[in-house]
Amino acid sequence: VAFFQDVDAGKIKLNEQLAMEQEMLATGSGNMRSQPVGTKFTALEVADKMMTISDNTATNMLIARMGGIEALNQRFRSWGLTATALRNQLPDIPGTNTTSPKELVQVMAMVSKGHLVSMVSRDRLLDIMRRNERRHLLPKGLGAGAVIANKTGFIGTMLGDVGLIDLPMGKRYVAAVMVQRARNQ
């Protein structure tokens, strides 16, 4: 959402080239780290990888491009979020980066209603989320004809998913679930 706000404000261009630097490389989810340091990707490619395959390196690249952790935390606070905070680059194995299901739902509801980003950016964001490759959480429980734009997240002891769900009869719901679990179960 913050990325598309910057696109709307003209601070980031979708075709802008972002270089993958050594300090951005992250283990865990994603495949960008397998490319040589210095490889360039468009900003939209990076955002797409961050959302569709949860690429940790892509996330770190966008954090850096948008001004760093504190700049993003200030933005989250301006949206009224109090539980959502970045404290470390990814992967955040200790789990110091935080959010809550309530705040994830708040942000998705604001986006759905056309707040925070332009309608063009909202539609682009939801299109990316509909192509999320991790379909084993919220999407798994939906009935026939339902469409979900979702984003999963997990670390060793936490598993979560947030989604904007459109049902065949025309109703729209937002759902978020976070579960504390035994490590990697």
Side-chain angles (χ1 to χ4, degrees):
V1 174
F3 170 80
F4 282 109
Q5 278 187 330
D6 283 356
V7 169
D8 290 341
K11 296 177 183 176
I12 296 177
K13 302 229 180 300
L14 294 175
N15 63 353
E16 174 182 334
Q17 295 289 306
L18 302 179
M20 185 177 67
E21 305 298 335
Q22 182 67 41
E23 62 272 10
M24 299 168 183
L25 297 180
T27 58
S29 295
N31 57 22
M32 289 178 68
R33 70 178 179 274
S34 64
Q35 300 298 314
V37 170
T39 299
K40 292 185 177 182
F41 303 89
T42 68
L44 184 57
E45 285 176 301
V46 176
D48 190 272
K49 291 272 192 185
M50 181 186 84
M51 297 296 290
T52 58
I53 65 170
S54 292
D55 194 295
N56 288 339
T57 298
T59 303
N60 290 339
M61 290 173 70
L62 290 182
I63 290 170
R65 177 60 184 87
M66 290 185 290
I69 287 173
E70 190 47 43
L72 286 168
N73 285 335
Q74 287 176 6
R75 183 129 21 140
F76 302 153
R77 288 189 293 275
S78 78
W79 300 346
L81 308 181
T82 57
T84 302
L86 293 171
R87 294 179 182 88
N88 286 300
Q89 280 200 149
L90 298 186
D92 177 36
I93 302 302
T96 61
N97 296 334
T98 57
T99 192
S100 71
K102 179 182 177 183
E103 290 189 359
L104 293 172
V105 165
Q106 285 175 301
V107 170
M108 288 304 300
M110 286 188 282
V111 167
S112 174
K113 293 175 183 174
H115 304 301
L116 299 180
V117 295
S118 69
M119 297 307 269
V120 169
S121 286
R122 179 200 69 179
D123 293 347
R124 188 172 276 132
L125 171 63
L126 294 177
D127 176 63
I128 291 170
M129 291 177 71
R130 285 183 193 104
R131 293 185 287 105
N132 182 345
E133 292 183 13
R134 297 208 160 96
R135 310 303 287 174
H136 63 288
L137 298 174
L138 287 176
K140 200 76 158 169
L142 297 178
V147 176
I148 185 169
N150 73 303
K151 174 67 180 88
T152 58
F154 63 91
I155 57 173
T157 59
M158 192 285 304
L159 181 67
D161 200 358
V162 60
L164 186 67
I165 304 162
D166 290 313
L167 298 180
M169 76 277 294
K171 292 202 179 235
R172 175 172 273 183
Y173 295 93
V174 181
V177 178
M178 295 175 78
V179 178
Q180 191 168 6
R181 62 186 183 166
R183 186 161 184 76
N184 291 330
Q185 284 189 353

